[in-house]
Amino acid sequence: MDLKALYQEILNEHNINPNHKGVMENPTFTLQGVNPSCGDNIYLQLSLDENGVITEGSFNGSGCAISQASVDLMLDSVIGKTKEEALRLAGLFMDMIQGKTTDEQIAELDEAAALKNISFMPARVKCAVLGWHTMQEMLTKNATDGHGSASHCESDSCK
């Protein structure tokens, strides 16, 4: 199986059988992420312990296969990590999408590296980064209200 086929299989699996789709009880953070260009709409929830370690994560909402698989892959990557490490991985993911990473850095993203070539499909980049941008906003602003809307892709950071 070539790498492209493997990546497609990973994305399909995380879209069809997501590990983290659902609603958590008593999350530390909840934030809505909206992609206004295509209608992807997620609610991301994270629980952090007293040491700032992400102990649990989930998402719900609707969107295309790429947005759903990407947020599920992201949660696989950040659960068990500190808030700072999760933000570092989000930065690596954004750099990967923009072609600014080495193979060693991409390897740190584990299965999320399956989205490496999404930059060749510009209309889909915003879908792939929605969950990651939502998490960045959540963790940098300590956003705890899940009833607002966060339009993350109005700047050049999603291109």
Side-chain angles (χ1 to χ4, degrees):
M1 178 182 292
D2 69 357
L3 195 56
K4 185 176 179 181
L6 176 62
Y7 284 169
Q8 186 63 42
E9 185 177 316
I10 290 168
L11 291 175
N12 284 338
E13 182 61 28
H14 280 273
N15 177 50
I16 295 168
N17 299 306
N19 298 319
H20 305 286
K21 193 158 189 175
V23 178
M24 292 172 39
E25 288 188 31
N26 305 312
T28 307
F29 298 111
T30 300
L31 188 64
Q32 181 181 16
V34 176
N35 179 347
S37 65
C38 71
D40 294 337
N41 184 14
I42 63 163
Y43 284 89
L44 180 64
Q45 297 180 301
L46 296 177
S47 286
L48 280 70
D49 68 13
E50 62 280 351
N51 297 316
V53 174
I54 299 169
T55 58
E56 191 177 357
S58 70
F59 73 98
N60 62 53
S62 60
C64 69
I66 291 173
S67 73
Q68 301 292 287
S70 182
V71 71
D72 197 57
L73 288 162
M74 177 198 73
L75 288 167
D76 277 352
S77 297
V78 302
I79 293 173
K81 305 282 194 295
T82 64
K83 175 181 174 177
E84 293 76 20
E85 182 65 6
L87 288 168
R88 190 183 76 74
L89 289 172
L92 270 178
F93 185 83
M94 299 306 165
D95 286 347
M96 177 188 74
I97 295 296
Q98 296 174 2
K100 299 177 183 177
T101 52
T102 65
D103 288 341
E104 293 80 27
Q105 291 171 314
I106 292 171
E108 290 183 61
L109 293 169
D110 198 31
E111 284 190 334
L115 291 159
K116 176 183 176 184
N117 292 323
I118 203 75
S119 61
F120 297 114
M121 300 184 327
R124 305 312 295 226
V125 168
K126 292 178 182 183
C127 305
V129 301
L130 178 62
W132 296 85
H133 271 285
T134 304
M135 181 186 70
Q136 284 178 314
E137 183 168 324
M138 175 187 288
L139 295 177
T140 58
K141 295 181 179 178
N142 291 321
T144 59
D145 181 6
H147 302 292
S149 176
S151 297
H152 304 285
C153 292
E154 294 174 355
S155 68
D156 289 338
S157 65
C158 292
K159 296 178 182 175

PDB file of all heavy atoms in Angstrom, residues 22-43:
ATOM      1  N   GLY A  22     -18.872  12.755  20.515  1.00  0.00           N
ATOM      2  CA  GLY A  22     -19.840  12.622  21.588  1.00  0.00           C
ATOM      3  C   GLY A  22     -19.824  13.855  22.463  1.00  0.00           C
ATOM      4  O   GLY A  22     -19.158  14.843  22.161  1.00  0.00           O
ATOM      5  N   VAL A  23     -20.544  13.789  23.549  1.00  0.00           N
ATOM      6  CA  VAL A  23     -20.637  14.901  24.481  1.00  0.00           C
ATOM      7  C   VAL A  23     -20.100  14.442  25.831  1.00  0.00           C
ATOM      8  O   VAL A  23     -20.481  13.378  26.322  1.00  0.00           O
ATOM      9  CB  VAL A  23     -22.100  15.380  24.629  1.00  0.00           C
ATOM     10  CG1 VAL A  23     -22.211  16.508  25.637  1.00  0.00           C
ATOM     11  CG2 VAL A  23     -22.653  15.811  23.273  1.00  0.00           C
ATOM     12  N   MET A  24     -19.214  15.243  26.409  1.00  0.00           N
ATOM     13  CA  MET A  24     -18.627  14.937  27.712  1.00  0.00           C
ATOM     14  C   MET A  24     -19.468  15.555  28.823  1.00  0.00           C
ATOM     15  O   MET A  24     -20.095  16.584  28.630  1.00  0.00           O
ATOM     16  CB  MET A  24     -17.210  15.534  27.815  1.00  0.00           C
ATOM     17  CG  MET A  24     -16.211  14.897  26.931  1.00  0.00           C
ATOM     18  SD  MET A  24     -14.605  15.759  26.909  1.00  0.00           S
ATOM     19  CE  MET A  24     -14.350  16.258  28.582  1.00  0.00           C
ATOM     20  N   GLU A  25     -19.414  14.934  29.982  1.00  0.00           N
ATOM     21  CA  GLU A  25     -20.008  15.538  31.172  1.00  0.00           C
ATOM     22  C   GLU A  25     -18.934  16.367  31.861  1.00  0.00           C
ATOM     23  O   GLU A  25     -17.806  15.915  32.021  1.00  0.00           O
ATOM     24  CB  GLU A  25     -20.519  14.454  32.120  1.00  0.00           C
ATOM     25  CG  GLU A  25     -21.761  13.744  31.610  1.00  0.00           C
ATOM     26  CD  GLU A  25     -22.355  12.827  32.654  1.00  0.00           C
ATOM     27  OE1 GLU A  25     -22.244  13.120  33.853  1.00  0.00           O
ATOM     28  OE2 GLU A  25     -22.927  11.816  32.232  1.00  0.00           O
ATOM     29  N   ASN A  26     -19.270  17.567  32.222  1.00  0.00           N
ATOM     30  CA  ASN A  26     -18.392  18.448  32.994  1.00  0.00           C
ATOM     31  C   ASN A  26     -17.018  18.708  32.375  1.00  0.00           C
ATOM     32  O   ASN A  26     -15.998  18.549  33.046  1.00  0.00           O
ATOM     33  CB  ASN A  26     -18.228  17.912  34.417  1.00  0.00           C
ATOM     34  CG  ASN A  26     -19.553  17.720  35.104  1.00  0.00           C
ATOM     35  OD1 ASN A  26     -20.399  18.611  35.078  1.00  0.00           O
ATOM     36  ND2 ASN A  26     -19.757  16.556  35.694  1.00  0.00           N
ATOM     37  N   PRO A  27     -16.953  19.105  31.114  1.00  0.00           N
ATOM     38  CA  PRO A  27     -15.638  19.431  30.535  1.00  0.00           C
ATOM     39  C   PRO A  27     -15.094  20.717  31.153  1.00  0.00           C
ATOM     40  O   PRO A  27     -15.848  21.551  31.654  1.00  0.00           O
ATOM     41  CB  PRO A  27     -15.957  19.639  29.052  1.00  0.00           C
ATOM     42  CG  PRO A  27     -17.380  20.098  29.035  1.00  0.00           C
ATOM     43  CD  PRO A  27     -18.042  19.358  30.173  1.00  0.00           C
ATOM     44  N   THR A  28     -13.784  20.852  31.114  1.00  0.00           N
ATOM     45  CA  THR A  28     -13.151  22.089  31.569  1.00  0.00           C
ATOM     46  C   THR A  28     -13.428  23.201  30.575  1.00  0.00           C
ATOM     47  O   THR A  28     -13.682  24.340  30.956  1.00  0.00           O
ATOM     48  CB  THR A  28     -11.620  21.887  31.699  1.00  0.00           C
ATOM     49  OG1 THR A  28     -11.373  20.739  32.508  1.00  0.00           O
ATOM     50  CG2 THR A  28     -10.958  23.104  32.301  1.00  0.00           C
ATOM     51  N   PHE A  29     -13.355  22.869  29.282  1.00  0.00           N
ATOM     52  CA  PHE A  29     -13.544  23.840  28.212  1.00  0.00           C
ATOM     53  C   PHE A  29     -14.497  23.292  27.164  1.00  0.00           C
ATOM     54  O   PHE A  29     -14.447  22.109  26.832  1.00  0.00           O
ATOM     55  CB  PHE A  29     -12.216  24.134  27.487  1.00  0.00           C
ATOM     56  CG  PHE A  29     -11.154  24.741  28.341  1.00  0.00           C
ATOM     57  CD1 PHE A  29     -10.025  24.008  28.673  1.00  0.00           C
ATOM     58  CD2 PHE A  29     -11.256  26.046  28.784  1.00  0.00           C
ATOM     59  CE1 PHE A  29      -9.022  24.567  29.443  1.00  0.00           C
ATOM     60  CE2 PHE A  29     -10.258  26.610  29.551  1.00  0.00           C
ATOM     61  CZ  PHE A  29      -9.139  25.874  29.889  1.00  0.00           C
ATOM     62  N   THR A  30     -15.316  24.173  26.621  1.00  0.00           N
ATOM     63  CA  THR A  30     -16.155  23.863  25.469  1.00  0.00           C
ATOM     64  C   THR A  30     -16.153  25.087  24.575  1.00  0.00           C
ATOM     65  O   THR A  30     -16.320  26.204  25.055  1.00  0.00           O
ATOM     66  CB  THR A  30     -17.615  23.561  25.881  1.00  0.00           C
ATOM     67  OG1 THR A  30     -17.625  22.442  26.764  1.00  0.00           O
ATOM     68  CG2 THR A  30     -18.480  23.258  24.669  1.00  0.00           C
ATOM     69  N   LEU A  31     -15.938  24.879  23.296  1.00  0.00           N
ATOM     70  CA  LEU A  31     -15.963  26.013  22.373  1.00  0.00           C
ATOM     71  C   LEU A  31     -16.482  25.558  21.023  1.00  0.00           C
ATOM     72  O   LEU A  31     -16.111  24.489  20.529  1.00  0.00           O
ATOM     73  CB  LEU A  31     -14.567  26.624  22.210  1.00  0.00           C
ATOM     74  CG  LEU A  31     -14.504  27.931  21.416  1.00  0.00           C
ATOM     75  CD1 LEU A  31     -15.258  29.053  22.125  1.00  0.00           C
ATOM     76  CD2 LEU A  31     -13.059  28.341  21.186  1.00  0.00           C
ATOM     77  N   GLN A  32     -17.317  26.373  20.430  1.00  0.00           N
ATOM     78  CA  GLN A  32     -17.838  26.100  19.093  1.00  0.00           C
ATOM     79  C   GLN A  32     -16.848  26.614  18.072  1.00  0.00           C
ATOM     80  O   GLN A  32     -16.300  27.709  18.211  1.00  0.00           O
ATOM     81  CB  GLN A  32     -19.188  26.802  18.905  1.00  0.00           C
ATOM     82  CG  GLN A  32     -19.807  26.552  17.546  1.00  0.00           C
ATOM     83  CD  GLN A  32     -21.132  27.286  17.371  1.00  0.00           C
ATOM     84  OE1 GLN A  32     -21.457  28.188  18.116  1.00  0.00           O
ATOM     85  NE2 GLN A  32     -21.884  26.886  16.360  1.00  0.00           N
ATOM     86  N   GLY A  33     -16.625  25.825  17.049  1.00  0.00           N
ATOM     87  CA  GLY A  33     -15.810  26.238  15.912  1.00  0.00           C
ATOM     88  C   GLY A  33     -16.645  26.196  14.656  1.00  0.00           C
ATOM     89  O   GLY A  33     -17.344  25.210  14.399  1.00  0.00           O
ATOM     90  N   VAL A  34     -16.604  27.261  13.889  1.00  0.00           N
ATOM     91  CA  VAL A  34     -17.425  27.365  12.681  1.00  0.00           C
ATOM     92  C   VAL A  34     -16.537  27.706  11.496  1.00  0.00           C
ATOM     93  O   VAL A  34     -15.707  28.607  11.580  1.00  0.00           O
ATOM     94  CB  VAL A  34     -18.509  28.457  12.853  1.00  0.00           C
ATOM     95  CG1 VAL A  34     -19.309  28.631  11.570  1.00  0.00           C
ATOM     96  CG2 VAL A  34     -19.418  28.148  14.021  1.00  0.00           C
ATOM     97  N   ASN A  35     -16.728  26.993  10.407  1.00  0.00           N
ATOM     98  CA  ASN A  35     -16.074  27.321   9.158  1.00  0.00           C
ATOM     99  C   ASN A  35     -17.141  27.982   8.283  1.00  0.00           C
ATOM    100  O   ASN A  35     -17.974  27.297   7.689  1.00  0.00           O
ATOM    101  CB  ASN A  35     -15.535  26.055   8.480  1.00  0.00           C
ATOM    102  CG  ASN A  35     -14.854  26.335   7.165  1.00  0.00           C
ATOM    103  OD1 ASN A  35     -14.964  27.421   6.603  1.00  0.00           O
ATOM    104  ND2 ASN A  35     -14.160  25.339   6.656  1.00  0.00           N
ATOM    105  N   PRO A  36     -17.140  29.312   8.222  1.00  0.00           N
ATOM    106  CA  PRO A  36     -18.224  30.004   7.528  1.00  0.00           C
ATOM    107  C   PRO A  36     -18.259  29.758   6.022  1.00  0.00           C
ATOM    108  O   PRO A  36     -19.291  29.934   5.400  1.00  0.00           O
ATOM    109  CB  PRO A  36     -17.962  31.482   7.837  1.00  0.00           C
ATOM    110  CG  PRO A  36     -16.534  31.562   8.201  1.00  0.00           C
ATOM    111  CD  PRO A  36     -16.162  30.237   8.792  1.00  0.00           C
ATOM    112  N   SER A  37     -17.153  29.309   5.451  1.00  0.00           N
ATOM    113  CA  SER A  37     -17.139  29.128   4.000  1.00  0.00           C
ATOM    114  C   SER A  37     -17.855  27.860   3.540  1.00  0.00           C
ATOM    115  O   SER A  37     -18.306  27.795   2.410  1.00  0.00           O
ATOM    116  CB  SER A  37     -15.699  29.151   3.467  1.00  0.00           C
ATOM    117  OG  SER A  37     -14.983  28.045   3.958  1.00  0.00           O
ATOM    118  N   CYS A  38     -17.958  26.868   4.422  1.00  0.00           N
ATOM    119  CA  CYS A  38     -18.609  25.635   3.968  1.00  0.00           C
ATOM    120  C   CYS A  38     -19.645  25.090   4.938  1.00  0.00           C
ATOM    121  O   CYS A  38     -20.336  24.129   4.618  1.00  0.00           O
ATOM    122  CB  CYS A  38     -17.572  24.555   3.668  1.00  0.00           C
ATOM    123  SG  CYS A  38     -16.794  23.884   5.136  1.00  0.00           S
ATOM    124  N   GLY A  39     -19.738  25.674   6.119  1.00  0.00           N
ATOM    125  CA  GLY A  39     -20.758  25.232   7.056  1.00  0.00           C
ATOM    126  C   GLY A  39     -20.323  24.212   8.082  1.00  0.00           C
ATOM    127  O   GLY A  39     -21.147  23.750   8.879  1.00  0.00           O
ATOM    128  N   ASP A  40     -19.048  23.814   8.102  1.00  0.00           N
ATOM    129  CA  ASP A  40     -18.582  22.918   9.161  1.00  0.00           C
ATOM    130  C   ASP A  40     -18.836  23.602  10.499  1.00  0.00           C
ATOM    131  O   ASP A  40     -18.569  24.797  10.662  1.00  0.00           O
ATOM    132  CB  ASP A  40     -17.085  22.626   9.033  1.00  0.00           C
ATOM    133  CG  ASP A  40     -16.732  21.827   7.790  1.00  0.00           C
ATOM    134  OD1 ASP A  40     -17.608  21.137   7.248  1.00  0.00           O
ATOM    135  OD2 ASP A  40     -15.562  21.896   7.369  1.00  0.00           O
ATOM    136  N   ASN A  41     -19.341  22.850  11.463  1.00  0.00           N
ATOM    137  CA  ASN A  41     -19.719  23.404  12.752  1.00  0.00           C
ATOM    138  C   ASN A  41     -19.447  22.343  13.811  1.00  0.00           C
ATOM    139  O   ASN A  41     -20.089  21.298  13.807  1.00  0.00           O
ATOM    140  CB  ASN A  41     -21.197  23.786  12.727  1.00  0.00           C
ATOM    141  CG  ASN A  41     -21.650  24.453  13.998  1.00  0.00           C
ATOM    142  OD1 ASN A  41     -20.855  24.879  14.822  1.00  0.00           O
ATOM    143  ND2 ASN A  41     -22.954  24.530  14.168  1.00  0.00           N
ATOM    144  N   ILE A  42     -18.486  22.598  14.690  1.00  0.00           N
ATOM    145  CA  ILE A  42     -18.153  21.630  15.729  1.00  0.00           C
ATOM    146  C   ILE A  42     -18.224  22.281  17.102  1.00  0.00           C
ATOM    147  O   ILE A  42     -18.075  23.498  17.236  1.00  0.00           O
ATOM    148  CB  ILE A  42     -16.749  21.015  15.539  1.00  0.00           C
ATOM    149  CG1 ILE A  42     -15.663  22.096  15.645  1.00  0.00           C
ATOM    150  CG2 ILE A  42     -16.654  20.229  14.251  1.00  0.00           C
ATOM    151  CD1 ILE A  42     -14.267  21.542  15.877  1.00  0.00           C
ATOM    152  N   TYR A  43     -18.454  21.462  18.097  1.00  0.00           N
ATOM    153  CA  TYR A  43     -18.290  21.842  19.497  1.00  0.00           C
ATOM    154  C   TYR A  43     -17.178  20.958  20.031  1.00  0.00           C
ATOM    155  O   TYR A  43     -17.311  19.737  20.040  1.00  0.00           O
ATOM    156  CB  TYR A  43     -19.578  21.623  20.292  1.00  0.00           C
ATOM    157  CG  TYR A  43     -20.611  22.680  20.017  1.00  0.00           C
ATOM    158  CD1 TYR A  43     -21.515  22.529  18.982  1.00  0.00           C
ATOM    159  CD2 TYR A  43     -20.664  23.836  20.793  1.00  0.00           C
ATOM    160  CE1 TYR A  43     -22.463  23.501  18.720  1.00  0.00           C
ATOM    161  CE2 TYR A  43     -21.606  24.821  20.532  1.00  0.00           C
ATOM    162  CZ  TYR A  43     -22.504  24.646  19.501  1.00  0.00           C
ATOM    163  OH  TYR A  43     -23.428  25.616  19.242  1.00  0.00           O
TER     164      TYR A  43
END
